[in-house]
Amino acid sequence: MANVVVVGAQWGDEGKGKIVDWLSERADVVVRFQGGHNAGHTLVIGDVTYKLSLLPSGIVRPNKQSVIGNGVVLDPWALLREIETLKGQGVEVGPDNLSIAENVTLILPLHSKLDIAREEALGGAKIGTTGRGIGPAYEDKIGRRAIRAGDLADREMLEERIESMLLHHNALMRGLGSTEITKDEILEPLLEVAPKILPFVRTVWYQLDEARRDGKRILFEGAQGAMLDVDHGTYPFVTSSNTVAGASTVGSGQGAKAANYNLGITKAYTTRVGSGPFPTELEDEIGQKLGERGHEFGTVTGRKRRCGWFDAVMVRQAIKVSGITGIALTKLDVLDGFDELKVCTGYTLDGENIDHFPASITGQAKVEPVYETLEGWSEPTYGARSWADLPATAIKYIRRIEELIEAPVALLSTSPERDDTILVQDPFED
């Protein structure tokens, strides 16, 4: 039995929620392994729309185990709000079907304050964070001063960790001209939330190891996209964690052989939220049309997404650094009705042709796309559930993308609906 990792192969917002939900029917366990509540997944199931930020997409399916791995940074209050919202929609969430790693780092209210204060201080050079404290929480983790979920069971330990944290953060607050934070401002809310979170806390690495040895299928769910990876993305306009498929093992406590298939989710065009380079961005009527037809607004923030043509260079690079086996191509239907479509097949930098996205900030800002023009299609692809339902030119578009990115299309999504999916290769049967 194969275990599958699902990651974004662009700048996030590729439609991972639907694909993970669709795959979770075949899985026994669904694991979220990095990121925080800055990443959103929208699931449309029948007449009901679910919006998830922290909970794995498998949570909406009965008889599935959902896991929040140690690679996540967890805002306990945001999690509880999300659980209550889902319960209001008839979804059961409890310690029987949700586990939280005991070594997961917690996001505290002070992290959000720091996030916002630092973005404001950057002015026009701001990174474009969501202001939810993700970056500062990861900084505390790496700086060895974080509070983790297991610490909630020990008041004495909590007080020690808070004092260590404030020694660092209050120096920053003073430097930014902000009000310093007292120990009680952090301690009291944590003591109050602890009994609500602790019933979910588990030794997740052990739980997942048992599941693997029992032959259960595990689906590892990433957030954001490969080009937002802190190492391999468009640095510094990136998120604060590793978003490539390799992070699934570190972020869940599993070995490098835990997964057999890495599935990259890729839109049939390109979008990006926030600041940073975007070679194929369209700031014209076509870009506007893509945004309107694709409903390109962030699930979590509501921010309008920037839109552009499909960038095969970027996706190919994401496939290489993430070890992606095959892709799920989403939102093909958004391209219905275009007379012609363009695909970026290369870049020029200072007059020279290059076949990759440069790591330098200067190079990323200066690259110009080289386009290939393809014929569009007038017939609708919306809701198609087999290759026979697709126009011939749409199939040609898909095949050309496969050639350019050097990876096969394993799944094709033609609407937000769960069943409007064409299966080419089942990752669980690879």
Side-chain angles (χ1 to χ4, degrees):
M1 294 291 184
N3 295 323
V4 177
V5 178
V6 176
V7 292
Q10 294 165 310
W11 277 298
D13 310 308
E14 301 96 347
K16 290 183 292 297
K18 172 192 167 173
I19 299 299
V20 171
D21 168 63
W22 193 85
L23 287 169
S24 67
E25 185 175 15
R26 295 159 170 76
D28 301 298
V29 184
V30 183
V31 184
R32 172 77 182 275
F33 61 82
Q34 51 78 217
H37 63 308
N38 56 336
H41 291 162
T42 300
L43 311 180
V44 180
I45 303 171
D47 296 328
V48 184
T49 298
Y50 302 97
K51 294 192 175 183
L52 308 178
S53 296
L54 280 166
L55 291 169
S57 297
I59 198 71
V60 300
R61 287 190 181 272
N63 305 315
K64 306 291 180 183
Q65 183 67 32
S66 290
V67 174
I68 296 176
N70 57 275
V72 173
V73 284
L74 179 71
D75 182 323
W77 299 276
L79 176 65
L80 292 173
R81 288 193 298 270
E82 195 171 323
I83 289 173
E84 287 306 308
T85 298
L86 282 187
K87 285 183 176 179
Q89 293 181 289
V91 177
E92 290 297 320
V93 183
D96 290 339
N97 68 339
L98 175 65
S99 300
I100 299 171
E102 60 188 347
N103 51 340
V104 75
T105 293
L106 299 182
I107 299 176
L108 309 178
L110 72 85
H111 291 131
S112 179
K113 289 179 182 177
L114 277 169
D115 214 353
I116 293 168
R118 293 196 306 198
E119 277 285 273
E120 289 175 351
L122 287 170
K126 58 178 62 175
I127 302 299
T129 75
T130 59
R132 283 167 167 73
I134 311 300
Y138 273 117
E139 289 175 31
D140 278 352
K141 175 180 178 176
I142 299 302
R144 301 182 296 277
R145 54 181 173 266
I147 292 171
R148 307 198 295 181
D151 298 333
L152 294 174
D154 187 336
R155 176 172 180 149
E156 185 177 341
M157 172 62 70
L158 268 183
E159 294 197 34
E160 288 179 11
R161 302 307 300 155
I162 291 170
E163 287 171 0
S164 171
M165 181 180 287
L166 289 182
L167 183 67
H168 173 82
H169 287 305
N170 275 335
L172 279 176
M173 298 302 276
R174 286 193 298 272
L176 292 168
S178 299
T179 305
E180 293 188 34
I181 302 159
T182 67
K183 183 171 78 171
D184 286 345
E185 284 181 71
I186 302 175
L187 179 61
E188 295 307 320
L190 284 175
L191 292 175
E192 183 182 350
V193 82
K196 301 173 185 177
I197 295 296
L198 284 170
F200 296 96
V201 175
R202 301 281 189 280
T203 305
V204 156
W205 70 263
Y206 190 87
Q207 180 184 12
L208 292 176
D209 184 64
E210 283 192 321
R212 285 173 55 209
R213 286 190 283 112
D214 290 343
K216 292 183 177 178
R217 290 173 162 178
I218 304 175
L219 185 60
F220 297 90
E221 174 185 4
Q224 289 98 19
M227 298 311 291
L228 289 175
D229 185 277
V230 69
D231 287 304
H232 300 289
T234 48
Y235 190 90
F237 301 98
V238 292
T239 194
S240 300
S241 61
N242 287 112
T243 59
V244 295
S248 62
T249 57
V250 180
S252 61
Q254 300 302 287
K257 295 182 180 179
N260 313 86
Y261 195 105
N262 295 333
L263 182 69
I265 316 300
T266 309
K267 273 179 184 164
Y269 52 101
T270 310
T271 64
R272 175 164 201 168
V273 170
S275 307
F278 187 169
T280 65
E281 183 173 11
L282 297 169
E283 300 181 272
D284 57 12
E285 291 182 7
I286 294 176
Q288 175 107 7
K289 185 176 180 180
L290 288 171
E292 290 172 356
R293 295 187 63 180
H295 306 289
E296 297 297 352
F297 296 91
T299 300
V300 171
T301 64
R303 288 189 294 180
K304 185 178 179 180
R305 297 176 186 139
R306 301 152 64 189
C307 298
W309 294 122
F310 187 84
D311 189 336
V313 182
M314 183 183 74
V315 173
R316 183 173 64 240
Q317 187 161 321
I319 285 169
K320 302 296 185 185
V321 299
S322 216
I324 288 171
T325 317
I327 68 165
L329 190 66
T330 65
K331 291 199 170 185
L332 181 70
D333 55 291
V334 174
L335 300 181
D336 291 355
F338 282 91
D339 292 331
E340 62 179 33
L341 304 167
K342 292 185 178 181
V343 174
C344 175
T345 59
Y347 302 134
T348 60
L349 177 60
D350 296 328
E352 298 289 331
N353 292 325
I354 60 171
D355 61 358
H356 66 281
F357 206 55
S360 76
I361 299 169
T362 304
Q364 289 177 0
K366 290 170 65 177
V367 294
E368 295 290 338
V370 175
Y371 287 119
E372 177 179 314
T373 301
L374 302 172
E375 184 183 355
W377 54 89
S378 56
E379 306 95 322
T381 63
Y382 186 91
R385 297 185 181 181
S386 73
W387 285 106
D389 296 332
L390 297 175
T393 46
I395 294 174
K396 286 181 182 179
Y397 182 79
I398 295 165
R399 295 304 185 207
R400 183 57 178 145
I401 283 177
E402 288 180 315
E403 291 174 357
L404 291 168
I405 65 174
E406 300 176 16
V409 171
L411 290 155
L412 184 67
S413 171
T414 57
S415 94
E417 296 291 337
R418 175 187 278 174
D419 293 329
D420 291 341
T421 306
I422 300 171
L423 176 64
V424 182
Q425 179 185 45
D426 189 339
F428 280 117
E429 298 297 336
D430 181 62

